[in-house]
């Protein structure tokens, strides 16, 4: 634990040093030396939203400055850009419209990736009866993603009024019985933090322990439970308040612990979506490729830059995906070399090798063209470089210091950003400098 504390001290010091260095940056797009690259990009940008571009509904001042550099006089982006948010309470079009208004540049729906966007790939569940939890237009979101038979927590509560008993004022005033014949729930999808946590926790547990049939009693021994898919693992997020607020990850902690306390067994997820999952970054890379094709940028997009404010989601996720890309590149290279050495493949074996793809999502989206994903941490959101470290190391770091999801292993290397800058404008400046890129 002391080693972990030293890691955070070092990270804070590193942030302060890098921020001071960046403060002296000239601000000119051409403020670097060396050969200038082609105006057609070979890199794409992945932007977090909360804490990077906005705090709550308030835009961060550096956001407009950054995007003035990313859009040409015709209103077109000069590099492929995807907004990768863990939010899941609205449609992509709604989020695109919000961003267009905040940033003052036109944002297309295909540039927006919500935490639930990868659910489009889970086609085997699209014809199942699905229970959805969250807030906002959850039924509309689910149907837009391809799910045809959707039930909400509110529909369940209205149909089974005796199940929601925590709030005494909402209990039925007279004896009642189920008022609707709902189909048996076959899948549970958690979009984001709901409004009434006690109601959602109770009914989700009921569904899992009755195998989707609320007319029956709990069966704690029924295994495995129904498929459970969760979007957005953020324990906390940054709004207008001085300190971070609870996110959907906090709700998941509650659900996991209640389920284990009742059954003695761990809650299992069919899939976890949203940052920091590799699935999310692979889908974002797929959207980046799509933009490059649409703009007739023929050079492959080989580098991604992920800009975020949260070590445990944005930085962890980008570094985890970078690790995957590096491993994939090494695996392909070794196979190609082996083929050439044994005479079983031509010199072009590397480009022709399809790798016997191990992941269904990679098969669905086609293999990535990117070979790296670099992480950039900004200091305008969850991450605070000026946090004081308590004097007593024994009391300052507990096992809960890792704010990532239960199913993700803490690795100090994965929460170490490639670069640390003050804000998103500095991040864009740094990327253009590193890529020696000057838009035409």
């Amino acid at each position: 634990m002391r080693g972990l504390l030293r890691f955070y001290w070092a990270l804070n010091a590193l942030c302060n040093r890098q921020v001071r260095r960046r403060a002296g940056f000239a601000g000119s797009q051409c403020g670097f030396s060396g050969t200038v690259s082609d105006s057609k990009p070979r890199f794409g940008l992945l932007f977090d939203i909360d804490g990077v571009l906005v705090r709550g509904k308030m835009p961060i001042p550096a956001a407009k400055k950054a995007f003035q550099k990313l859009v040409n006089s015709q209103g077109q982006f000069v590099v492929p850009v995807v907004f990768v948010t863990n939010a899941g309470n609205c449609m992509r079009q709604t989020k695109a419209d919000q961003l267009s208004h905040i940033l003052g540049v036109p944002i297309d729906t295909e540039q927006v990736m919500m935490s639930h966007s990868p659910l489009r790939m889970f086609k085997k569940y699209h014809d199942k009866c699905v229970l959805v939890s969250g807030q906002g237009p959850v039924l509309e979101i689910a149907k837009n993603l391809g799910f045809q038979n959707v039930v909400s927590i509110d529909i369940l509560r209205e149909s089974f009024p005796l199940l929601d008993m925590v709030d005494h004022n909402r209990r039925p005033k007279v004896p009642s019985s189920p008022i609707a014949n709902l189909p048996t729930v076959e899948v549970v999808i958690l979009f984001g933090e709901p409004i009434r946590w006690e109601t959602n926790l109770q009914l989700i547990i009921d569904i899992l322990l009755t195998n989707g049939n609320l007319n029956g009693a709990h069966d704690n021994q029924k295994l495995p439970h129904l498929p459970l898919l969760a979007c957005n693992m953020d324990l906390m997020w940054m709004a207008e308040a001085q300190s971070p607020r609870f996110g959907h990850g906090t709700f998941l902690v509650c659900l996991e612990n209640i389920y284990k306390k009742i059954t003695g067994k761990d809650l299992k997820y069919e899939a976890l979506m949203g940052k920091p999952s590799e699935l999310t970054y692979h889908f974002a890379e797929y959207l980046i490729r799509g933009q490059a094709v649409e703009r007739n940028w023929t050079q492959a997009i080989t580098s991604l830059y992920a800009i975020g404010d949260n070590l445990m989601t944005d930085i962890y996720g980008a570094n985890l995906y970078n690790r995957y890309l590096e491993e994939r590149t090494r695996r392909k290279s070794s196979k190609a070399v082996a083929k050439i050495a044994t005479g079983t493949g031509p010199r072009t074996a590397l480009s022709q090798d399809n790798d016997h793809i191990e992941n269904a999502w990679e098969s669905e989206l086609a293999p990535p063209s990117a070979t790296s994903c670099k992480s950039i941490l900004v200091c305008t959101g969850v991450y605070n470089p000026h946090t004081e470290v308590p004097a007593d190391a024994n009391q300052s770091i507990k096992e809960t210091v890792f704010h990532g999801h239960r199913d993700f292993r803490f690795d100090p290397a994965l929460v170490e950003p490639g670069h640390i800058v003050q804000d998103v404008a500095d991040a864009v400046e740094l990327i253009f400098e590193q890529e020696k890129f000057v838009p035409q």
Side-chain angles (χ1 to χ4, degrees):
M1 289 297 180
R2 290 180 184 272
L4 186 59
L5 180 60
R6 286 195 296 272
F7 166 75
Y8 278 106
W9 281 340
L11 193 56
N12 278 340
L14 177 63
C15 182
N16 287 327
R17 288 197 300 272
Q18 290 202 25
V19 168
R20 283 195 292 270
R21 281 204 300 270
R22 296 298 301 165
F25 199 75
S28 166
Q29 288 183 196
C30 300
F32 54 82
S33 60
T35 305
V36 175
S37 74
D38 192 304
S39 62
K40 293 181 180 178
R42 299 194 64 175
F43 63 96
L45 307 182
L46 309 179
F47 287 99
D48 179 36
I49 298 176
D50 294 301
V52 175
L53 305 178
V54 299
R55 285 184 62 165
K57 295 181 180 178
M58 298 297 295
I60 290 172
K64 279 194 174 182
K65 178 182 176 184
F67 278 81
Q68 286 170 358
K69 300 171 185 173
L70 293 172
V71 176
N72 63 22
S73 58
Q74 287 79 45
Q76 296 176 312
F77 277 85
V78 297
V79 298
V81 166
V82 170
F83 301 89
V84 186
T85 176
N86 270 355
N89 59 354
C90 67
M91 306 282 282
R92 294 169 76 195
Q93 184 61 59
T94 303
K95 184 61 70 175
D97 292 342
Q98 291 172 356
L99 288 169
S100 297
H101 175 72
I102 290 169
L103 300 174
V105 298
I107 307 297
D108 187 78
T109 305
E110 290 302 309
Q111 291 179 283
V112 175
M113 182 175 172
M114 312 296 289
S115 60
H116 50 63
S117 294
L119 284 169
R120 294 178 182 277
M121 295 186 293
F122 289 82
K123 295 177 182 177
K124 66 178 179 178
Y125 296 132
H126 285 182
D127 61 348
K128 306 292 185 184
C129 180
V130 174
L131 171 67
V132 293
S133 167
Q135 58 183 290
V138 290
L139 296 177
E140 185 181 1
I141 291 169
K143 289 175 180 175
N144 184 261
L145 289 167
F147 297 95
Q148 301 161 24
N149 189 4
V150 188
V151 177
S152 69
I153 292 290
D154 286 341
I155 291 173
L156 281 191
R157 183 184 173 277
E158 291 169 5
S159 302
F160 296 89
L162 293 178
L163 298 184
D164 183 19
M165 302 297 282
V166 173
D167 186 343
H168 291 218
N169 293 325
R170 299 218 305 171
R171 290 179 178 178
K173 304 305 179 187
V174 296
S176 58
S177 56
I179 58 175
N181 229 343
L182 292 177
T184 299
V185 172
E186 300 169 278
V187 183
V188 179
I189 297 178
L190 311 177
F191 280 136
E193 61 270 22
I195 295 173
R196 283 186 168 268
W197 286 29
E198 78 282 2
T199 300
N200 284 259
L201 289 168
Q202 178 69 75
L203 294 183
I204 292 167
I205 291 290
D206 286 338
I207 284 291
L208 294 175
L209 296 184
T210 61
N211 204 35
N213 180 11
L214 292 181
N215 288 306
H218 285 189
D219 181 0
N220 294 1
Q221 304 307 312
K222 179 69 176 177
L223 289 173
H225 60 66
L226 295 177
L228 177 65
L229 298 91
C231 312
N232 183 359
M233 295 165 274
D234 282 354
L235 187 75
M236 296 183 288
W237 65 289
M238 202 68 188
E240 292 94 338
Q242 293 298 310
S243 300
R245 304 293 86 196
F246 289 163
H248 192 218
T250 307
F251 178 81
L252 297 181
V253 169
C254 296
L255 182 64
E256 291 157 10
N257 282 278
I258 292 170
Y259 183 86
K260 185 160 189 175
K261 194 71 172 179
I262 293 173
T263 67
K265 302 175 179 67
D266 284 335
L267 188 69
K268 303 292 185 183
Y269 295 94
E270 178 84 2
L272 288 164
M273 279 153 283
K275 297 171 291 187
S277 77
E278 292 177 29
L279 171 59
T280 292
Y281 287 86
H282 195 65
F283 196 86
E285 193 270 350
Y286 166 75
L287 295 178
I288 288 283
R289 273 185 281 138
Q291 289 180 41
V293 170
E294 188 172 329
R295 292 292 301 277
N296 293 318
W297 289 329
T298 54
Q299 296 186 105
I301 303 297
T302 56
S303 297
L304 299 177
Y305 291 87
I307 302 100
D309 70 307
N310 192 325
L311 287 169
M312 299 301 175
T313 53
D314 303 311
I315 304 306
Y316 186 109
N319 290 343
L320 184 65
Y321 188 59
N322 185 65
R323 185 175 286 181
Y324 158 78
L325 292 174
E326 289 180 343
E327 176 58 31
R328 187 177 184 281
T329 300
R330 278 195 298 270
R331 193 167 65 245
K332 289 189 68 175
S333 296
S334 62
K335 286 185 179 182
V337 169
K339 284 185 178 182
I340 294 169
T342 58
T344 59
R347 291 268 170 199
T348 57
L350 182 61
S351 63
Q352 293 179 353
D353 185 15
N354 286 325
D355 246 358
H356 295 293
I357 298 168
E358 298 172 1
N359 297 304
W361 46 266
E362 186 173 300
S363 178
E364 180 80 20
L365 299 178
S369 65
T371 56
S372 69
C373 182
K374 303 174 179 69
S375 59
I376 300 179
L377 179 69
V378 298
C379 302
T380 51
V382 170
Y383 181 74
N384 181 3
H386 307 297
T387 300
E388 292 185 8
V389 180
D392 187 349
N394 290 322
Q395 296 300 316
S396 62
I397 298 293
K398 304 294 185 185
E399 64 179 9
T400 52
V401 70
F402 178 48
H403 289 173
H405 187 265
R406 177 200 70 183
D407 293 353
F408 286 76
R409 180 177 58 86
F410 179 73
D411 180 343
L414 292 178
V415 293
E416 186 170 355
H419 297 277
I420 308 173
V421 295
Q422 180 60 43
D423 54 41
V424 66
D426 281 351
V428 171
E429 197 92 32
L430 173 65
I431 293 165
F432 278 18
E433 175 190 11
Q434 294 230 320
E435 293 290 328
K436 297 181 173 58
F437 179 77
V438 177
Q440 299 298 315

